[in-house]
Amino acid sequence: MSFARIVHRAFSTQIAYAHCDIPCGIYDPHLAQLAALTTIRMNQLIAGLAVPAAGATPQEQAAYAAAVSRYVAVKEEHAELCKKELRVLWGDYFRPEHVQQNSD
């Protein structure tokens, strides 16, 4: 076993993720809603793009590829943000006492 592996095993750390250590009761789904709406809008924009015809110029093809790339990048970024915000809400807010109070 190499020295680097021994050091890594002896001093390795684990990453912990949390909204906070003390549940504050302040949870706003606004960021998740905004991210979800942005994701939906990017899907609409992608679907609305006119695919260049077979005889399109290289500039038209490049413009289409650039637009699709931008829309997909923004869509993926906001979809990840939405998932992150929903995980925080699910993991921190929906505690047993909240479920009992709001069983509907």
Side-chain angles (χ1 to χ4, degrees):
M1 185 178 289
S2 71
F3 178 72
R5 280 193 176 158
I6 294 171
V7 170
H8 179 70
R9 280 190 176 173
F11 298 104
S12 66
T13 60
Q14 293 183 355
I15 298 173
Y17 298 96
H19 172 70
C20 63
D21 292 332
I22 304 167
C24 59
I26 302 171
Y27 298 101
D28 188 352
H30 179 72
L31 288 177
Q33 290 170 333
L34 186 60
L37 290 172
T38 302
T39 301
I40 291 168
R41 182 63 180 142
M42 290 302 110
N43 281 330
Q44 292 169 343
L45 292 174
I46 291 167
L49 283 175
V51 179
T57 65
Q59 292 83 8
E60 291 171 330
Q61 292 175 351
Y64 173 77
V68 169
S69 296
R70 282 193 315 273
Y71 294 158
V72 168
V74 170
K75 175 183 73 87
E76 291 299 317
E77 176 185 344
H78 284 84
E80 287 298 322
L81 176 61
C82 183
K83 290 190 306 188
K84 175 186 172 275
E85 291 298 322
L86 291 176
R87 279 191 294 264
V88 168
L89 284 173
W90 185 255
D92 291 352
Y93 180 76
F94 292 109
R95 303 173 103 40
E97 58 270 17
H98 291 122
V99 175
Q100 289 172 354
Q101 290 173 359
N102 305 295
S103 60
D104 292 341

